[in-house]
Amino acid sequence: MTLRARLAAGDVLVGSFLKTPAPQLVEVLGLSGLDFVVADMEHAPIDLRDLDLIAMAGRAVDLPVLVRSRGSSAEAIWPALDLGCTGVMVPHIRNPASARAAVAAARFSAGQRGCSPSGRAGFYGGLPPVCFRDTSDQETLVIAQIEDEEALANLDTIAIEPGIDALFLGPVDLAQSLGCAPDAPEIRAAGEKIVRAAALANKAAGTFVPYSPAIRDAVASGMRLIVCGSDQSLLRMTATNMITEIDIHQEPPT
C-alpha cells in the first residue's frame, strides 16, 4: 500500500526530516522502522543532485522519500517527483490559490506539471506516458504546510481544495507569524483548528514535534502525519543522552 493510501485509510505515519545530503543516512533510517523521511530542500543544503541519490537510496530500502520544497511553483516541485519522491510538503500555503498552485505543480490532472516518464519515477521510460501520469497522480502525496496567520483564516477552503491530502502544522513559523512561542497556547489552539478543518474535508492533519515523547500527545490530539526531529537532531540527542547517562566527564568523588 502506498504512503498516500495508508494516510487515506487512517494510518498514523511517523517520519523525520532529512537535513544532511547523504543517501547513506536514508539507508540507515530505512532500517529503523520509520514510515517516511522528508528531504528538506527549504532549510537544508539539499539540491537536485543530492535528491537524486536520496530518492534512489529510499527506494533501495523501501523508505518513502517526501520532499519539502522551496515553494509552490511547478519548478520547485515536479523535478523531485520525477526523481522518484513519493510526495511533496509545500511550505507557507496561505490560501486556496497557493494550495491550487501546489496541486497543479504536483499532479498532471491539474495541468501544470511537465510530463516525461524517462526518469526514475517512470522506470526510465518503462511506463507508457498515460500509465505514468495516472500512477503518479494516484500515488503522489501533497501536503499543505500551515504556518502563517493568514492560513488559519483560510483553513476550511484550503482543506477542501481537490488534490490536497493533508494539512500540516508548522509550529515554529506559525509561532513567528503569530508573535508567540512554539509551545504557546495559541499554537495548540491552531493545531485543534487544523485537525477540525482536515476532518471536515476528510483529509489528514499532521505536525512537527522535536522529540519522540511528544508523538503520543500529537496523535491523541488527532494528528496522523507526524514528523519527529531530523537526522541531525536524532543523532545529537542520542549522543547527548549517551554522554549524560555514562557521566564519564564528571569529577570523581574525593
Side-chain angles (χ1 to χ4, degrees):
M1 187 181 292
T2 66
L3 198 70
R4 188 186 189 211
R6 290 181 62 194
L7 193 64
D11 287 3
V12 172
L13 305 176
V14 178
S16 182
F17 279 121
L18 181 77
K19 301 281 190 175
T20 309
Q24 295 88 345
L25 292 180
V26 179
E27 185 178 30
V28 172
L29 291 172
L31 303 175
S32 71
L34 288 178
D35 294 302
F36 63 92
V37 293
V38 184
D40 191 358
M41 297 186 77
E42 184 190 19
H43 291 301
I46 295 175
D47 60 22
L48 276 180
R49 186 180 295 272
D50 301 320
L51 192 63
D52 185 27
L53 297 178
I54 287 167
M56 183 168 62
R59 288 200 169 198
V61 291
D62 199 24
L63 179 66
V65 175
L66 305 176
V67 61
R68 177 156 69 173
S69 66
R70 294 191 175 104
S72 58
S73 70
E75 294 80 6
I77 291 174
W78 88 52
L81 303 177
D82 284 352
L83 291 177
C85 290
T86 301
V88 61
M89 177 182 290
V90 187
H92 297 289
I93 297 297
R94 299 180 173 91
N95 48 51
S98 57
R100 281 193 296 275
V103 172
R107 302 200 191 284
F108 294 113
S109 58
Q112 293 297 315
R113 181 179 171 186
C115 181
S116 173
S118 61
R120 182 177 297 111
F123 291 91
Y124 301 104
L127 288 180
V130 173
C131 181
F132 172 57
R133 292 198 303 265
D134 292 346
T135 299
S136 181
D137 280 359
Q138 290 166 9
E139 297 182 356
T140 297
L141 189 62
V142 181
I143 303 162
Q145 277 200 265
I146 305 300
E147 45 193 355
D148 300 277
E149 186 174 11
E150 179 185 348
L152 294 180
N154 294 312
L155 282 177
D156 291 339
T157 50
I158 293 171
I160 64 173
E161 196 63 41
I164 293 293
D165 296 299
L167 304 181
F168 190 90
L169 169 62
V172 177
D173 274 340
L174 184 58
Q176 176 174 279
S177 179
L178 295 177
C180 64
D183 59 352
E186 293 93 330
I187 302 302
R188 289 193 292 275
E192 293 170 359
K193 291 179 181 178
I194 289 170
V195 168
R196 285 197 299 270
L200 286 172
N202 199 28
K203 307 289 178 69
T207 190
F208 171 81
V209 297
Y211 41 77
S212 57
I215 294 175
R216 291 189 182 278
D217 290 339
V219 173
S221 74
M223 301 292 187
R224 292 195 287 109
L225 185 69
I226 314 297
V227 177
C228 180
S230 70
D231 59 309
Q232 295 172 354
S233 69
L234 293 173
L235 177 62
R236 177 182 56 80
M237 286 189 289
T238 299
T240 301
N241 290 340
M242 178 184 70
I243 293 298
T244 301
E245 287 170 5
I246 64 175
D247 210 24
I248 197 171
H249 292 148
Q250 296 297 316
E251 290 293 331
T254 56

